[in-house]
Amino acid sequence: MDNNVSEQILQEELQTLAANGKIDSFREKFLDMHPYDQASFFIEQPEEIRLNIYTYLSPEETAGMMEHIELDDIKPLFTEMDPRYAAMVIEEMATDDAVDMLNELEKDVVVSLLTIMDAKNAAEIKELLHYEEKTAGSIMTTEFVAVYESKTVQDTMQYLKAEAPEAETIYYLYVVDEDKHLVGVVSLRDLIIAEPDMRVADVMSEKVLSVSVAKDQEEVARMIRDYDFLAIPVVDFQNHLLGIITVDDILDVMEEEAGEDYSMLAGVSDKDSPKDSAFISAKKRLPWLVILLFLGMLTASLIGQFEEALEQVAVLAIFIPLLAGMAGNTGTQALAVAVRGLSTGDYGKQGKLRLMFREASTGLINGIVCGTLLTGIVYFWQDDIYLGMLVGFSIMVILVIATLAGALVPIFMDRLNIDPAVASGPFITTINDIISILIYFGLATMFMQYLV
Amino acid sequence: MDNNVSEQILQEELQTLAANGKIDSFREKFLDMHPYDQASFFIEQPEEIRLNIYTYLSPEETAGMMEHIELDDIKPLFTEMDPRYAAMVIEEMATDDAVDMLNELEKDVVVSLLTIMDAKNAAEIKELLHYEEKTAGSIMTTEFVAVYESKTVQDTMQYLKAEAPEAETIYYLYVVDEDKHLVGVVSLRDLIIAEPDMRVADVMSEKVLSVSVAKDQEEVARMIRDYDFLAIPVVDFQNHLLGIITVDDILDVMEEEAGEDYSMLAGVSDKDSPKDSAFISAKKRLPWLVILLFLGMLTASLIGQFEEALEQVAVLAIFIPLLAGMAGNTGTQALAVAVRGLSTGDYGKQGKLRLMFREASTGLINGIVCGTLLTGIVYFWQDDIYLGMLVGFSIMVILVIATLAGALVPIFMDRLNIDPAVASGPFITTINDIISILIYFGLATMFMQYLV
């Protein structure tokens, strides 16, 4: 509580200083904050105050803050900045962050920023912009320290002192031969413990894991997590060292991928943000809803086929949402378990067949329990044992098939090399609506003579 | 492809060596692998081979491998090991990993292991076992290097050389005064650049962020991600340095929390694993299904209230699943956006009201589009403009209220200090089934004269 109050006082103070052009006092207070806190403050300000702040900060200071601003918020900032200043800010950023930001901007804006920039920096960034989104190449940085296997520990430590301020990390050092092939890795920890006159080649570990530039970022994240790395080197197909990926970028990748999976399960575009306006948010969600509307019409026309049965036994309609709902629920459960299993790589080769068998069995067990319960409840409620048996038996069959469907859809998608997370909850729910209605009315028609 | 083949050959080779007691060749090949790969191989072996392997490895070597085994798989391993050996393995682990593993075992097993252990190690572990699950205290390690502000850079580097092999990280060093109060932080990078005779107090940054032992692990993860830290110090309420949390543990926390949110949205227990048997998995999912079955009965009895309307106009039943399904879908979308927003802390203070207004507007826009579409489709299909208008108008009202309900439930839970992720998809879907049926049949009853 106390903290929040003092934070708010500080924010108001900063705002006043920025609005009134008190450059020195503003700089003193502002630069005393962590760049993340600077970014949080900055992004809440109106444009006129932001424009003031740019003039108070050096491009380097702005760059440090910008690296902590969320990518969704980047575009308006680079549009309002003076292009010359914007180019300098980008030059001061870590290359991987610069590339992430440029990917958010319009193509012609990027081209004009790169033109103003120092040619060497521009070339480095252009190189990285070529890599496909969500690959190792697109998230790596080229600001790393490579050390040579033939150097001594002492020389290397000297070299580090000079390079440390620029590099993204100096705690894992990748060792290259004279042709820039990756040949080993040595941690700063090992160098500190080693004798100063040993050669790097004698201290390094030759068992260095690397990823190819084209590797999917989700797989890179999994490797870093499994092996507890602080960084991983990125190589081309001839094993030349191109860049490194550090763990702080992996945290963002994991957050992004988890958010995507979560949103897909709910049938929302992964870019649906609580900050969007109602129109934008409606536009993002409508495609799903319209697809589901048409799938729902399919369900409706299916029930239409059974209108005769419904006219004879109107009470049948009572249980439609219950059965469809249960089918949707069990399907979503099975779907989630399968998607998680596929995305964390928990399955072996025969694992998928075993999973399908297990899901069918799970559905059967749940079906027997729910079916028995439901038969009893409907019997006591409607005083009709045949209706009870129909509904109870229907739910049993529905739970087996709907559970299996929930597991099958993502496995099938994975086989087709589609991200299984695309099999969203609403989609499987609607499929299972159809399954449940076919089973329920199919059984009802078969046993119609007992119901009327 | 090539890689997989050579990996499989290596695995078969290791298996043969382990089965036939070729200790030396086994050790040579096995210890040459990364501990994570050791763990992946080990966990796939049958018990008799695992028992052999324990006898080939020192407790320290086993500990290194154990740290990479998933917690779900830990229990049988510590049960099959000789207790004396198990105690030694735990002593060799990083304390935070040791505590994680002990938390997976039965209480009496833990007590007996701690009794066999060296008293000092046991005391350290017992201390950590006291912290509540999912707090900073439960994931921190006590193996960190604290340096004193009064020492020189040179002395500190000497001290590091000695301490480095044991510590979890030496890249961020936390500075304490003589009473062990946390007073600053210095990175190894800064020490390397600094002059050897400077005092630590002159090199360190006094702006050190820390977390309290009782802080929720999800918030710790968010801090480390936002500030791009490699580690964060943990303090008690008097600011004594108790331990540190490193980024590799945060990767696991993020994976765990994302998995939990995802599972909750699908209505599965977060411990539902693809490796469970059908019985265990059914047992985990049944509670949800039974709750939803009873909620579904509520829906059924609601429709039962409108049986008269249904008997007059059987065609009404056709659209029940469509409307209920759309209500569920839009509710799940709104729910997911709200839960994500709450969990990433994207909302300000007035943000929640704004979000509710936005969700209602989004629902209205989507409702108008879907309603118009549906009126047209139903009119052409059933050749009944009144039925078309009823269904179209119903979906419009339903989409507004169901979207709002999806956003409101998690916000309301958050207000009650319940994790909003608990508001699962199936739950909101069932609530929205009820809402949609009330609206649809309510409107149908009101306009019955136009329908018959």
Side-chain angles (χ1 to χ4, degrees), chain A residues 32 37 164 189 207 227 267 333, chain B residues 32 37 164 189 227 267 333:
Chain A
D32 196 44
D37 296 320
R189 187 193 288 236
K207 281 176 295 166
Y227 290 98
Q333 289 180 331
Chain B
D32 196 43
D37 296 321
R189 186 194 290 236
Y227 290 98
Q333 289 180 330

Side-chain angles (χ1 to χ4, degrees), chain B residues 267-421:
Chain B
V268 232
S269 149
D270 71 82
K271 294 277 180 189
D272 200 334
S273 140
K275 286 179 195 154
D276 286 339
S277 76
F279 265 101
I280 293 179
S281 145
K283 212 176 102 188
K284 285 175 179 169
R285 295 188 202 168
L286 255 178
W288 254 122
L289 287 177
V290 170
I291 292 171
L292 294 168
L293 183 70
F294 279 97
L295 282 174
M297 283 308 302
L298 201 70
T299 328
S301 70
L302 263 178
I303 305 185
Q305 302 294 311
F306 296 104
E307 207 175 326
E308 206 183 319
L310 266 174
E311 267 164 9
Q312 286 178 51
V313 196
V315 75
L316 280 181
I318 293 182
F319 299 101
I320 297 176
L322 169 76
L323 295 173
M326 293 294 284
N329 293 332
T330 191
T332 310
Q333 289 180 330
L335 170 86
V337 173
V339 170
R340 291 287 309 163
L342 290 170
S343 86
T344 58
D346 266 0
Y347 296 135
K349 271 142 217 170
Q350 309 92 2
K352 285 170 197 169
L353 249 176
R354 209 184 307 150
L355 178 87
M356 275 161 51
F357 180 73
R358 194 204 64 164
E359 288 298 326
S361 315
T362 305
L364 185 64
I365 299 169
N366 287 339
I368 291 171
V369 176
C370 292
T372 313
L373 255 173
L374 203 53
T375 305
I377 296 174
V378 173
Y379 172 52
F380 282 109
W381 178 30
Q382 295 282 333
D383 196 24
D384 182 343
I385 185 66
Y386 292 114
L387 184 66
M389 281 166 62
L390 169 70
V391 179
F393 188 62
S394 296
I395 203 156
M396 200 190 80
V397 180
I398 287 171
L399 282 186
V400 176
I401 298 183
T403 309
L404 199 55
L408 265 177
V409 169
I411 288 177
F412 190 65
M413 288 186 147
D414 189 52
R415 182 63 60 87
L416 297 178
N417 273 324
I418 304 173
D419 180 357

Side-chain angles (χ1 to χ4, degrees), chain A residues 228-245:
Chain A
D228 285 347
F229 288 146
L230 289 179
I232 199 164
V234 182
V235 293
D236 65 13
F237 68 106
Q238 289 174 312
N239 204 33
H240 291 116
L241 183 56
L242 299 180
I244 64 168
I245 296 171

Side-chain angles (χ1 to χ4, degrees), chain A residues 348-394:
Chain A
K349 272 142 216 172
Q350 309 91 2
K352 287 169 194 167
L353 249 176
R354 209 184 305 150
L355 177 87
M356 276 161 50
F357 180 73
R358 194 205 64 165
E359 289 299 326
S361 314
T362 306
L364 186 64
I365 298 170
N366 287 338
I368 291 172
V369 175
C370 292
T372 312
L373 257 172
L374 202 54
T375 305
I377 297 173
V378 174
Y379 171 54
F380 281 109
W381 179 28
Q382 295 282 334
D383 196 23
D384 181 344
I385 184 67
Y386 292 113
L387 185 66
M389 280 167 62
L390 169 69
V391 178
F393 187 62
S394 296

Side-chain angles (χ1 to χ4, degrees), chain A residues 55 78 118 142 306 341 357 360 384 452:
Chain A
T55 65
F78 276 100
D118 172 79
T142 50
F306 296 104
F357 180 73
D384 181 344
V452 272

Side-chain angles (χ1 to χ4, degrees), chain B residues 85-333:
Chain B
Y85 184 80
M88 287 192 282
V89 168
I90 289 174
E91 284 183 277
E92 294 292 343
M93 284 185 187
T95 42
D96 54 344
D97 292 320
V99 168
D100 286 348
M101 301 211 165
L102 290 175
N103 271 324
E104 296 293 315
L105 307 181
E106 308 285 345
K107 201 145 188 197
D108 53 331
V109 178
V110 175
V111 171
S112 73
L113 285 175
L114 288 173
T115 317
I116 311 178
M117 235 177 257
D118 172 80
K120 189 169 153 277
N121 286 336
E124 216 167 279
I125 288 176
K126 269 184 212 154
E127 187 95 11
L128 286 178
L129 278 171
H130 279 145
Y131 295 112
E132 241 180 294
E133 250 197 293
K134 307 202 168 191
T135 60
S138 74
I139 55 170
M140 75 182 183
T141 175
T142 50
E143 282 147 326
F144 60 92
V145 189
V147 300
Y148 289 92
E149 52 174 350
S150 51
K151 291 272 167 69
T152 65
V153 169
Q154 190 164 26
D155 288 349
T156 306
M157 287 295 282
Q158 279 300 337
Y159 175 63
L160 274 188
K161 277 200 194 193
E163 291 292 321
E166 287 301 315
E168 185 73 25
T169 179
I170 57 163
Y171 302 133
Y172 272 54
L173 300 163
Y174 298 102
V175 186
V176 291
D177 64 15
E178 269 151 38
D179 299 324
K180 297 270 161 103
H181 291 110
L182 177 68
V183 294
V185 60
V186 62
S187 70
L188 182 53
R189 186 194 290 236
D190 296 330
L191 284 185
I192 287 181
I193 303 175
E195 296 302 319
D197 53 352
M198 285 174 83
R199 279 176 57 247
V200 170
D202 302 325
V203 187
M204 74 181 191
S205 159
E206 283 168 35
K207 282 176 297 167
V208 55
L209 277 173
S210 60
V211 294
S212 126
V213 265
K215 190 120 180 161
D216 185 88
Q217 62 173 8
E218 202 167 2
E219 285 174 56
V220 178
R222 202 188 299 159
M223 272 180 83
I224 289 198
R225 185 168 69 85
D226 285 343
Y227 290 98
D228 286 347
F229 288 147
L230 289 180
I232 199 164
V234 182
V235 295
D236 64 14
F237 67 106
Q238 289 174 313
N239 204 33
H240 291 115
L241 182 56
L242 299 180
I244 64 167
I245 296 171
T246 49
V247 69
D248 55 308
D249 298 316
I250 289 304
L251 290 173
D252 297 330
V253 168
M254 283 181 65
E255 181 73 18
E256 184 187 330
E257 297 279 348
E260 263 178 40
D261 286 359
Y262 188 84
S263 301
M264 292 305 292
L265 184 62
V268 232
S269 149
D270 71 82
K271 294 277 180 189
D272 200 334
S273 140
K275 286 179 195 154
D276 286 339
S277 76
F279 265 101
I280 293 179
S281 145
K283 212 176 102 188
K284 285 175 179 169
R285 295 188 202 168
L286 255 178
W288 254 122
L289 287 177
V290 170
I291 292 171
L292 294 168
L293 183 70
F294 279 97
L295 282 174
M297 283 308 302
L298 201 70
T299 328
S301 70
L302 263 178
I303 305 185
Q305 302 294 311
F306 296 104
E307 207 175 326
E308 206 183 319
L310 266 174
E311 267 164 9
Q312 286 178 51
V313 196
V315 75
L316 280 181
I318 293 182
F319 299 101
I320 297 176
L322 169 76
L323 295 173
M326 293 294 284
N329 293 332
T330 191
T332 310
Q333 289 180 330

